[in-house]
Amino acid sequence: CYLRKKNPSKRDSLLGQEQGTWTIANTTLSRSHSSKTNFLSFLPRFRTDSTMGAKSQLRSRKPGGKNASGKKTESETSSATVGGILVGSIVVGLLAAYGLGLLSPSTHDSTLPPATAARIKNWKHFSEAKLANATEAQEGLIRPLPSDRLQRWNPVRVGFERKLVLDDTGKVFTMRTMGMDPPIFEIDNFLTKKECRYIMKLANRTGFMKSDHTYLDGSNYDDKDKDTSTIDTEDEANKLFRYSDQTWLQPHVDKYLQDALDRVMNLGLLPEQVRTDSEALQVAKYRDWGHYESHHDSEKEDMGPCCIDPWAKKQGMETGVYAVNKPLTKRCKLCRFMTVLYYLVDTEEGGGTIFPLADMSDAYVKAWQTNVTNPLMYKQTRDCENEKGTKVYPKAGKAVMWYNHKVDRGYLGPLDVRSLHGGCNVKKGEKWIANHWMSAIQHPDYPRDYATAGF
């Protein structure tokens, strides 16, 4: 226990395993690196035979469980003592076996169907640090697990693939690197066709509302309530920063949504607190000429504290268009560490996602940042095919994952300016997407300062 709590790295070297599944008498124990996990949490899975000595106890009992004098019988007391000694012996034996490394890695989980167990018997287990920072191909399948700190997968190179198992079904997901800076990955069939249809059905049942279509600088704030349902020409649609409809679904109230979120938590190696701090699932649909000009999902350091920070919540701070007419002391910022975007349908033409600054030189990024007078600054989405940058194309069930921030000592770091992205124009058909924004806060040592900039 001391090695587990005080020196996990030394414990791992003694055990000769960094993480895995351990088996005693066909009972499976899942090990976790979380410092909050109680080693004894598996003990309820071990049971002594509660019927031991039952007959002798019944013979000496009267109704109510006591003898005629109202006291426990000698045989009952003796039986309880023996049972206590037996349970204590099992606990001590397990602790000793665990500490000495006598438990062996399981190659078969008796709680899984044989077919599933056969598929996962070659899982490869790695520590979180090695997993995220791998620089060469890892043989076999990888089972990523949540960590106690933020980290980013090493993209290795464009086109690099990892085989991941993200849940207990044994399904294998292929994560392919699409961009290096920032790391951008695509995972085909992350959602099943059934899950895609289900999310769309839930969204329709919840009801859509017009997406906010104001510009990032708030210059057309007075038009925020404009009716977009009457738009019938491409020129009119192109005047909007965003042209779509959206709704929100709460993952914790639905099993399918919860399953998808569980996969995201494993995929991102995310601390459990991220699940609590993150937003509801956004679902958006785009009709003809629908688009979303290039933007960042999160916000930069000078825009106040994180909105999920209890200090900001206590002061009633807000962000986005809700903070346009408020003083800077009432402004907080989005702190979306990671985005996972899902395509829910196959769009006939257009509708992809573009990252115009991904893998571009520092000089190119600086020129883009200083070219604030260019009216086409955010309009890379009009003709994505002829634009520079990384492009991902829609395919039902596909997930796209990228990082909006860098990492600072395991916490949220600075905004990654190259995470700029946009939704390309829908040229034919419809586009349906969903977004999981995984939020986190900055290091406890990071000062909580009021915003010094708006948009």
Side-chain angles (χ1 to χ4, degrees):
C1 284
Y2 175 82
L3 288 176
R4 179 173 180 80
K5 285 192 171 184
K6 299 298 184 182
N7 196 343
S9 60
K10 185 176 181 181
R11 177 207 70 206
D12 288 340
S13 64
L14 288 175
L15 290 176
Q17 294 284 337
E18 292 178 346
Q19 59 190 38
T21 304
W22 306 93
T23 299
I24 297 181
N26 294 324
T27 302
T28 301
L29 314 178
S30 297
R31 296 178 54 219
S32 168
H33 277 281
S34 172
S35 60
K36 296 181 180 178
T37 301
N38 185 346
F39 170 71
L40 299 179
S41 62
F42 66 84
L43 287 180
R45 300 191 184 196
F46 291 87
R47 297 181 299 167
T48 58
D49 189 350
S50 60
T51 64
M52 290 179 58
K55 292 183 179 179
S56 61
Q57 292 178 40
L58 287 174
R59 280 196 296 268
S60 61
R61 283 176 181 258
K62 288 189 178 293
K66 297 180 182 179
N67 61 16
S69 64
K71 298 180 180 179
K72 292 184 178 179
T73 65
E74 181 180 352
S75 61
E76 183 179 4
T77 304
S78 175
S79 178
T81 303
V82 171
I85 293 174
L86 179 58
V87 173
S89 299
I90 292 175
V91 172
V92 172
L94 290 172
L95 291 172
Y98 189 89
L100 293 174
L102 299 179
L103 308 186
S104 58
S106 168
T107 56
H108 174 71
D109 184 347
S110 61
T111 64
L112 294 175
T116 301
R119 293 183 64 189
I120 66 176
K121 66 181 181 180
N122 293 322
W123 282 358
K124 297 290 184 179
H125 297 280
F126 301 90
S127 67
E128 289 93 339
K130 181 177 179 181
L131 188 67
N133 296 315
T135 56
E136 58 186 40
Q138 297 165 346
E139 296 179 359
L141 306 180
I142 303 171
R143 178 70 188 265
L145 299 171
S147 177
D148 59 355
R149 65 195 184 281
L150 296 181
Q151 50 191 315
R152 309 203 313 180
W153 286 90
N154 186 331
V156 185
R157 64 179 179 274
V158 173
F160 182 76
E161 293 185 349
R162 292 180 173 95
K163 302 293 184 180
L164 308 179
V165 176
L166 300 175
D167 54 31
D168 291 334
T169 65
K171 179 179 178 179
V172 177
F173 299 85
T174 300
M175 183 172 75
R176 184 180 305 105
T177 300
M178 300 298 291
M180 297 290 292
D181 187 13
I184 304 168
F185 307 95
E186 69 174 9
I187 306 98
D188 286 332
N189 301 313
F190 189 89
L191 297 179
T192 64
K193 292 181 178 179
K194 182 177 180 180
E195 287 174 321
C196 291
R197 291 194 299 268
Y198 184 73
I199 291 173
M200 294 167 65
K201 181 179 179 180
L202 278 184
N204 279 325
R205 185 183 301 168
T206 304
F208 282 87
M209 60 182 296
K210 163 180 73 70
S211 299
D212 169 52
H213 56 264
T214 54
Y215 291 102
L216 287 183
D217 61 3
S219 59
N220 65 334
Y221 179 75
D222 292 339
D223 295 331
K224 65 182 177 64
D225 297 322
K226 178 180 178 180
D227 181 10
T228 59
S229 63
T230 59
I231 290 178
D232 57 5
T233 67
E234 184 174 4
D235 288 341
E236 195 174 3
N238 283 344
K239 294 177 182 178
L240 300 176
F241 187 81
R242 173 165 49 169
Y243 181 36
S244 65
D245 299 302
Q246 65 182 20
T247 191
W248 302 84
L249 305 176
Q250 296 294 338
H252 64 275
V253 300
D254 186 275
K255 181 183 182 302
Y256 282 111
L257 300 185
Q258 191 63 56
D259 287 346
L261 182 57
D262 289 344
R263 272 177 259 151
V264 169
M265 292 294 295
N266 290 334
L267 174 68
L269 310 167
L270 297 171
E272 189 60 29
Q273 185 62 38
V274 172
R275 183 195 300 269
T276 303
D277 289 338
S278 295
E279 301 167 59
L281 180 72
Q282 184 208 48
V283 181
K285 64 177 180 179
Y286 299 75
R287 64 195 83 173
D288 286 345
W289 318 303
H291 60 271
Y292 192 174
E293 301 291 19
S294 298
H295 62 282
H296 291 103
D297 277 350
S298 198
E299 296 178 297
K300 54 186 180 178
E301 291 63 44
D302 59 359
M303 298 176 78
C306 294
C307 293
I308 60 174
D309 191 309
W311 183 76
K313 291 181 179 179
K314 187 176 180 180
Q315 301 202 36
M317 294 181 172
E318 293 185 293
T319 187
V321 294
Y322 304 104
V324 168
N325 294 324
K326 292 189 175 182
L328 294 180
T329 54
K330 288 297 183 181
R331 199 198 194 292
C332 58
K333 66 173 179 282
L334 296 172
C335 291
R336 296 166 172 169
F337 169 65
M338 186 180 90
T339 296
V340 180
L341 179 151
Y342 314 102
Y343 296 109
L344 303 179
V345 298
D346 295 319
T347 304
E348 293 183 60
E349 186 178 355
T353 304
I354 185 171
F355 298 81
L357 300 183
D359 296 332
M360 293 298 171
S361 66
D362 290 343
Y364 184 91
V365 173
K366 185 175 181 180
W368 181 88
Q369 289 177 306
T370 56
N371 191 17
V372 294
T373 59
N374 183 356
L376 299 179
M377 182 176 180
Y378 296 110
K379 297 185 180 297
Q380 293 86 4
T381 62
R382 293 295 177 267
D383 187 11
C384 289
E385 292 297 329
N386 296 319
E387 292 288 345
K388 295 180 179 180
T390 297
K391 299 132 187 169
V392 183
Y393 298 97
K395 180 181 178 183
K398 178 191 289 187
V400 187
M401 180 184 79
W402 68 89
Y403 300 101
N404 302 303
H405 287 261
K406 298 181 180 179
V407 175
D408 174 22
R409 297 168 288 173
Y411 288 81
L412 190 80
L415 179 71
D416 193 330
V417 66
R418 287 181 170 85
S419 66
L420 185 85
H421 62 283
C424 302
N425 270 29
V426 175
K427 298 181 179 180
K428 186 177 181 181
E430 272 193 328
K431 171 184 176 180
W432 282 71
I433 63 168
N435 288 295
H436 263 134
W437 289 306
M438 311 309 292
S439 300
I441 62 173
Q442 293 155 316
H443 193 278
D445 292 345
Y446 194 88
R448 290 187 178 99
D449 293 328
Y450 289 113
T452 56
F455 291 94

